[in-house]
Amino acid sequence: QVQLVESGGGLVQAGDSLRLSCAASGRTFSAYAMGWFRQAPGKERDFVAAIIWRSGGSTYYADSVKGRFTISRDNAKNTVYLQMNSLSPEDTAVYYCAATNRYTAYPDLRRRYDYWGQGTQVTVSS
């Protein structure tokens, strides 16, 4: 029994910032990696960012968000965050949190993740 709950989405103007949160719960769940994906209407669900849970774990970013978004974790709270700065209308999408308890060398691939949150809407107006 694993549950991921996203929060923090909303409506902002171009240039603004948002911080998304994803809280993971489940007595038997221990994540190897957690990530963020986003999906706009009529488009595929695309990778945004990922983080490895172990100490010193690496972070990964899509080229489209590198330098603007930052993924981080709070191990004690089983929570990952996505700090989004300099938002533009191109960032408008439903943002999904994902987790896997399996090793993967490619945390940017959707098929590597076993658990998904319900999504949170981010809308950026111009």
Side-chain angles (χ1 to χ4, degrees):
Q1 183 172 310
V2 176
Q3 186 173 0
L4 305 178
V5 180
E6 303 102 328
S7 62
L11 173 63
V12 298
Q13 292 186 329
D16 287 351
S17 298
L18 280 175
R19 190 180 76 159
L20 306 183
S21 299
C22 175
S25 63
R27 183 171 296 176
T28 62
F29 179 74
S30 181
Y32 170 78
M34 295 185 68
W36 291 94
F37 292 76
R38 65 187 182 185
Q39 186 169 23
K43 296 185 178 180
E44 295 184 354
R45 187 168 50 197
D46 293 328
F47 171 75
V48 177
I51 187 168
I52 307 301
W53 271 105
R54 67 174 183 268
S55 297
S58 299
T59 57
Y60 304 82
Y61 296 95
D63 289 342
S64 59
V65 306
K66 190 173 184 179
R68 299 188 298 122
F69 291 10
T70 303
I71 189 170
S72 61
R73 67 179 186 267
D74 186 328
N75 291 349
K77 296 181 178 180
N78 285 329
T79 299
V80 295
Y81 305 94
L82 185 67
Q83 178 67 44
M84 305 185 294
N85 298 329
S86 300
L87 286 164
S88 73
E90 300 298 322
D91 299 313
T92 295
V94 177
Y95 284 70
Y96 295 92
C97 177
T100 179
N101 59 6
R102 300 176 296 157
Y103 165 81
T104 177
Y106 301 96
D108 58 326
L109 299 180
R110 286 173 289 173
R111 65 178 181 269
R112 302 303 189 192
Y113 292 89
D114 304 303
Y115 307 101
W116 295 85
Q118 81 288 347
T120 185
Q121 177 71 47
V122 173
T123 302
V124 185
S125 65
S126 59

